[in-house]
Amino acid sequence: MNADPTPTATAAAEPRDAAGRLPVRAATPADAEAVPRMRSEHVLSAPFTEDWVRQCTDELAPRLTAEGDARAFVVDAPDGTMAACALGPIHPVLPAPAYPRGLAARVQIVATQPKFRRRGYARAVVSALLGHLADVEDVTLFELHTSPEAASLYRELGFSGNPALMRMTRHRQRSGAVSVPVAQLDSTWVPPQQCADAMPRAAAYVCLYVTDENDRPTKGCPANISAPSAERPEEVARCSAGGS
């Protein structure tokens, strides 16, 4: 996700209301194509194909209705395109004292056109999204995955912990489908052994996001273990246990 944590002055025309605020609005199903297109063009390193844009549009449109499970806020550019957007799908989790309703939201997309960055657009749409989810939808648990460069913005908005969440994708073989090697399912995926063989033998890198029973960040595995696992197994043992 891109962010503009430090707004800067600019002479370029931009939308502002009488109080000088960006006119943030709630997204509607009519915005269902623009949101994934913003992600494709301004966030992803490998943009979506048009087929994927259409698929995301068809998936998102009903979810942006009042009965749907996703909310988004946007700022429109003077030329009628979308200047910035923030999307947060809502999903159920087991309740806990910190989130008794058992509702969580993941800030999945935050995108700003390059010409509007560093003007507070990302802050405006994310703040509006978080405020709506908390005050209207009763969401109390919020999650996101961001870059180290944008992490400062989200810390100012109340997030804490490591910006990199561990994640994986698994593709189930559909009945009757032609078998496809796992490595071909995602062109950016690298087999674990190939990745390990390519790393310097003097270092291994692990990134964990660890929380306690109330989903508060706790101290996790060291980010850099300065020896290969074969030579210092005690480091790996402590890592596996979540210690440092």
Side-chain angles (χ1 to χ4, degrees), residues 174-199:
R174 288 179 293 181
S175 178
V178 177
S179 177
V180 178
V182 174
Q184 294 183 18
L185 293 172
D186 184 342
S187 60
T188 63
W189 186 88
V190 178
Q193 188 58 51
Q194 180 180 336
C195 179
D197 292 342
M199 293 180 64

mmCIF file of all heavy atoms in Angstrom, residues 174-199:
data_model
loop_
_atom_site.group_PDB
_atom_site.id
_atom_site.type_symbol
_atom_site.label_atom_id
_atom_site.label_comp_id
_atom_site.label_asym_id
_atom_site.label_seq_id
_atom_site.Cartn_x
_atom_site.Cartn_y
_atom_site.Cartn_z
ATOM 1 N N ARG A 174 -8.824 -28.258 -8.616
ATOM 2 C CA ARG A 174 -10.225 -28.497 -8.903
ATOM 3 C C ARG A 174 -10.400 -29.838 -9.608
ATOM 4 O O ARG A 174 -9.553 -30.255 -10.389
ATOM 5 C CB ARG A 174 -10.793 -27.378 -9.779
ATOM 6 C CG ARG A 174 -10.950 -26.066 -9.007
ATOM 7 C CD ARG A 174 -11.492 -24.984 -9.902
ATOM 8 N NE ARG A 174 -10.531 -24.629 -10.944
ATOM 9 C CZ ARG A 174 -10.737 -23.691 -11.850
ATOM 10 N NH1 ARG A 174 -11.867 -23.016 -11.857
ATOM 11 N NH2 ARG A 174 -9.817 -23.423 -12.764
ATOM 12 N N SER A 175 -11.537 -30.488 -9.364
ATOM 13 C CA SER A 175 -11.799 -31.789 -9.947
ATOM 14 C C SER A 175 -11.791 -31.704 -11.469
ATOM 15 O O SER A 175 -12.468 -30.859 -12.064
ATOM 16 C CB SER A 175 -13.166 -32.301 -9.457
ATOM 17 O OG SER A 175 -13.459 -33.536 -10.043
ATOM 18 N N GLY A 176 -10.999 -32.563 -12.095
ATOM 19 C CA GLY A 176 -10.936 -32.609 -13.552
ATOM 20 C C GLY A 176 -9.996 -31.590 -14.169
ATOM 21 O O GLY A 176 -9.809 -31.581 -15.383
ATOM 22 N N ALA A 177 -9.409 -30.725 -13.341
ATOM 23 C CA ALA A 177 -8.512 -29.703 -13.886
ATOM 24 C C ALA A 177 -7.170 -30.319 -14.236
ATOM 25 O O ALA A 177 -6.737 -31.301 -13.644
ATOM 26 C CB ALA A 177 -8.324 -28.568 -12.877
ATOM 27 N N VAL A 178 -6.511 -29.731 -15.224
ATOM 28 C CA VAL A 178 -5.195 -30.191 -15.620
ATOM 29 C C VAL A 178 -4.198 -29.798 -14.538
ATOM 30 O O VAL A 178 -4.205 -28.673 -14.043
ATOM 31 C CB VAL A 178 -4.780 -29.570 -16.970
ATOM 32 C CG1 VAL A 178 -3.372 -29.997 -17.349
ATOM 33 C CG2 VAL A 178 -5.776 -29.963 -18.037
ATOM 34 N N SER A 179 -3.363 -30.717 -14.153
ATOM 35 C CA SER A 179 -2.390 -30.457 -13.105
ATOM 36 C C SER A 179 -1.411 -29.384 -13.551
ATOM 37 O O SER A 179 -0.894 -29.420 -14.663
ATOM 38 C CB SER A 179 -1.629 -31.741 -12.758
ATOM 39 O OG SER A 179 -0.639 -31.489 -11.793
ATOM 40 N N VAL A 180 -1.190 -28.392 -12.672
ATOM 41 C CA VAL A 180 -0.258 -27.307 -12.965
ATOM 42 C C VAL A 180 0.803 -27.290 -11.884
ATOM 43 O O VAL A 180 0.479 -27.307 -10.704
ATOM 44 C CB VAL A 180 -0.988 -25.945 -12.990
ATOM 45 C CG1 VAL A 180 0.008 -24.821 -13.257
ATOM 46 C CG2 VAL A 180 -2.077 -25.962 -14.044
ATOM 47 N N PRO A 181 2.074 -27.289 -12.252
ATOM 48 C CA PRO A 181 3.110 -27.212 -11.226
ATOM 49 C C PRO A 181 2.896 -26.002 -10.332
ATOM 50 O O PRO A 181 2.505 -24.931 -10.815
ATOM 51 C CB PRO A 181 4.406 -27.071 -12.040
ATOM 52 C CG PRO A 181 4.066 -27.657 -13.375
ATOM 53 C CD PRO A 181 2.620 -27.348 -13.616
ATOM 54 N N VAL A 182 3.142 -26.168 -9.041
ATOM 55 C CA VAL A 182 2.892 -25.098 -8.086
ATOM 56 C C VAL A 182 3.629 -23.835 -8.468
ATOM 57 O O VAL A 182 3.106 -22.733 -8.355
ATOM 58 C CB VAL A 182 3.309 -25.549 -6.667
ATOM 59 C CG1 VAL A 182 3.192 -24.397 -5.683
ATOM 60 C CG2 VAL A 182 2.450 -26.716 -6.216
ATOM 61 N N ALA A 183 4.846 -23.968 -8.949
ATOM 62 C CA ALA A 183 5.644 -22.792 -9.274
ATOM 63 C C ALA A 183 5.023 -21.958 -10.389
ATOM 64 O O ALA A 183 5.320 -20.801 -10.533
ATOM 65 C CB ALA A 183 7.055 -23.206 -9.677
ATOM 66 N N GLN A 184 4.119 -22.553 -11.199
ATOM 67 C CA GLN A 184 3.504 -21.812 -12.287
ATOM 68 C C GLN A 184 2.242 -21.095 -11.865
ATOM 69 O O GLN A 184 1.690 -20.307 -12.615
ATOM 70 C CB GLN A 184 3.176 -22.767 -13.446
ATOM 71 C CG GLN A 184 4.405 -23.358 -14.102
ATOM 72 C CD GLN A 184 4.044 -24.234 -15.281
ATOM 73 O OE1 GLN A 184 2.948 -24.143 -15.808
ATOM 74 N NE2 GLN A 184 4.956 -25.079 -15.689
ATOM 75 N N LEU A 185 1.746 -21.348 -10.649
ATOM 76 C CA LEU A 185 0.522 -20.715 -10.216
ATOM 77 C C LEU A 185 0.723 -19.235 -9.960
ATOM 78 O O LEU A 185 -0.176 -18.437 -10.062
ATOM 79 C CB LEU A 185 0.007 -21.393 -8.932
ATOM 80 C CG LEU A 185 -0.453 -22.840 -9.105
ATOM 81 C CD1 LEU A 185 -0.751 -23.445 -7.742
ATOM 82 C CD2 LEU A 185 -1.685 -22.907 -9.995
ATOM 83 N N ASP A 186 1.886 -18.832 -9.584
ATOM 84 C CA ASP A 186 2.198 -17.439 -9.304
ATOM 85 C C ASP A 186 3.625 -17.190 -9.778
ATOM 86 O O ASP A 186 4.564 -17.798 -9.284
ATOM 87 C CB ASP A 186 2.080 -17.182 -7.808
ATOM 88 C CG ASP A 186 2.297 -15.710 -7.469
ATOM 89 O OD1 ASP A 186 2.848 -14.983 -8.312
ATOM 90 O OD2 ASP A 186 1.918 -15.312 -6.361
ATOM 91 N N SER A 187 3.762 -16.310 -10.746
ATOM 92 C CA SER A 187 5.071 -16.113 -11.348
ATOM 93 C C SER A 187 6.091 -15.565 -10.352
ATOM 94 O O SER A 187 7.283 -15.606 -10.601
ATOM 95 C CB SER A 187 4.960 -15.160 -12.549
ATOM 96 O OG SER A 187 4.456 -13.900 -12.126
ATOM 97 N N THR A 188 5.622 -15.010 -9.210
ATOM 98 C CA THR A 188 6.553 -14.469 -8.228
ATOM 99 C C THR A 188 6.921 -15.488 -7.169
ATOM 100 O O THR A 188 7.747 -15.206 -6.312
ATOM 101 C CB THR A 188 5.941 -13.240 -7.532
ATOM 102 O OG1 THR A 188 4.759 -13.648 -6.813
ATOM 103 C CG2 THR A 188 5.555 -12.175 -8.546
ATOM 104 N N TRP A 189 6.307 -16.660 -7.198
ATOM 105 C CA TRP A 189 6.559 -17.676 -6.166
ATOM 106 C C TRP A 189 7.852 -18.408 -6.460
ATOM 107 O O TRP A 189 8.155 -18.753 -7.602
ATOM 108 C CB TRP A 189 5.404 -18.651 -6.131
ATOM 109 C CG TRP A 189 5.499 -19.665 -5.011
ATOM 110 C CD1 TRP A 189 5.039 -19.528 -3.747
ATOM 111 C CD2 TRP A 189 6.064 -20.985 -5.090
ATOM 112 N NE1 TRP A 189 5.280 -20.656 -3.024
ATOM 113 C CE2 TRP A 189 5.912 -21.562 -3.807
ATOM 114 C CE3 TRP A 189 6.693 -21.712 -6.096
ATOM 115 C CZ2 TRP A 189 6.351 -22.845 -3.522
ATOM 116 C CZ3 TRP A 189 7.142 -22.980 -5.813
ATOM 117 C CH2 TRP A 189 6.968 -23.547 -4.536
ATOM 118 N N VAL A 190 8.655 -18.626 -5.424
ATOM 119 C CA VAL A 190 9.912 -19.350 -5.552
ATOM 120 C C VAL A 190 9.879 -20.534 -4.595
ATOM 121 O O VAL A 190 9.537 -20.360 -3.421
ATOM 122 C CB VAL A 190 11.112 -18.445 -5.210
ATOM 123 C CG1 VAL A 190 12.421 -19.235 -5.295
ATOM 124 C CG2 VAL A 190 11.157 -17.253 -6.148
ATOM 125 N N PRO A 191 10.190 -21.757 -5.062
ATOM 126 C CA PRO A 191 10.207 -22.908 -4.158
ATOM 127 C C PRO A 191 11.111 -22.640 -2.968
ATOM 128 O O PRO A 191 12.170 -22.026 -3.106
ATOM 129 C CB PRO A 191 10.749 -24.042 -5.043
ATOM 130 C CG PRO A 191 10.422 -23.607 -6.441
ATOM 131 C CD PRO A 191 10.542 -22.120 -6.435
ATOM 132 N N PRO A 192 10.713 -23.077 -1.753
ATOM 133 C CA PRO A 192 11.497 -22.785 -0.551
ATOM 134 C C PRO A 192 12.960 -23.197 -0.649
ATOM 135 O O PRO A 192 13.848 -22.452 -0.245
ATOM 136 C CB PRO A 192 10.753 -23.583 0.537
ATOM 137 C CG PRO A 192 9.357 -23.680 0.039
ATOM 138 C CD PRO A 192 9.468 -23.790 -1.449
ATOM 139 N N GLN A 193 13.235 -24.397 -1.192
ATOM 140 C CA GLN A 193 14.613 -24.845 -1.255
ATOM 141 C C GLN A 193 15.436 -23.982 -2.202
ATOM 142 O O GLN A 193 16.594 -23.666 -1.940
ATOM 143 C CB GLN A 193 14.682 -26.313 -1.696
ATOM 144 C CG GLN A 193 16.085 -26.914 -1.588
ATOM 145 C CD GLN A 193 16.638 -26.823 -0.166
ATOM 146 O OE1 GLN A 193 15.971 -27.224 0.786
ATOM 147 N NE2 GLN A 193 17.837 -26.286 -0.019
ATOM 148 N N GLN A 194 14.803 -23.564 -3.314
ATOM 149 C CA GLN A 194 15.511 -22.690 -4.254
ATOM 150 C C GLN A 194 15.837 -21.357 -3.602
ATOM 151 O O GLN A 194 16.932 -20.809 -3.774
ATOM 152 C CB GLN A 194 14.654 -22.462 -5.506
ATOM 153 C CG GLN A 194 15.312 -21.555 -6.541
ATOM 154 C CD GLN A 194 14.431 -21.362 -7.764
ATOM 155 O OE1 GLN A 194 13.576 -22.207 -8.055
ATOM 156 N NE2 GLN A 194 14.612 -20.264 -8.459
ATOM 157 N N CYS A 195 14.881 -20.826 -2.819
ATOM 158 C CA CYS A 195 15.118 -19.582 -2.112
ATOM 159 C C CYS A 195 16.250 -19.744 -1.104
ATOM 160 O O CYS A 195 17.140 -18.904 -1.001
ATOM 161 C CB CYS A 195 13.839 -19.130 -1.411
ATOM 162 S SG CYS A 195 14.002 -17.601 -0.468
ATOM 163 N N ALA A 196 16.226 -20.865 -0.352
ATOM 164 C CA ALA A 196 17.253 -21.112 0.655
ATOM 165 C C ALA A 196 18.629 -21.241 0.021
ATOM 166 O O ALA A 196 19.629 -20.730 0.536
ATOM 167 C CB ALA A 196 16.905 -22.363 1.456
ATOM 168 N N ASP A 197 18.695 -21.941 -1.117
ATOM 169 C CA ASP A 197 19.979 -22.138 -1.785
ATOM 170 C C ASP A 197 20.549 -20.817 -2.301
ATOM 171 O O ASP A 197 21.763 -20.665 -2.429
ATOM 172 C CB ASP A 197 19.828 -23.116 -2.953
ATOM 173 C CG ASP A 197 19.522 -24.533 -2.461
ATOM 174 O OD1 ASP A 197 19.769 -24.813 -1.269
ATOM 175 O OD2 ASP A 197 19.028 -25.339 -3.271
ATOM 176 N N ALA A 198 19.661 -19.860 -2.614
ATOM 177 C CA ALA A 198 20.118 -18.592 -3.180
ATOM 178 C C ALA A 198 20.572 -17.606 -2.115
ATOM 179 O O ALA A 198 21.219 -16.604 -2.425
ATOM 180 C CB ALA A 198 18.995 -17.952 -4.007
ATOM 181 N N MET A 199 20.258 -17.886 -0.861
ATOM 182 C CA MET A 199 20.621 -16.970 0.215
ATOM 183 C C MET A 199 22.066 -17.171 0.646
ATOM 184 O O MET A 199 22.579 -18.279 0.576
ATOM 185 C CB MET A 199 19.699 -17.164 1.425
ATOM 186 C CG MET A 199 18.265 -16.766 1.185
ATOM 187 S SD MET A 199 17.256 -17.040 2.655
ATOM 188 C CE MET A 199 18.028 -15.881 3.784
#
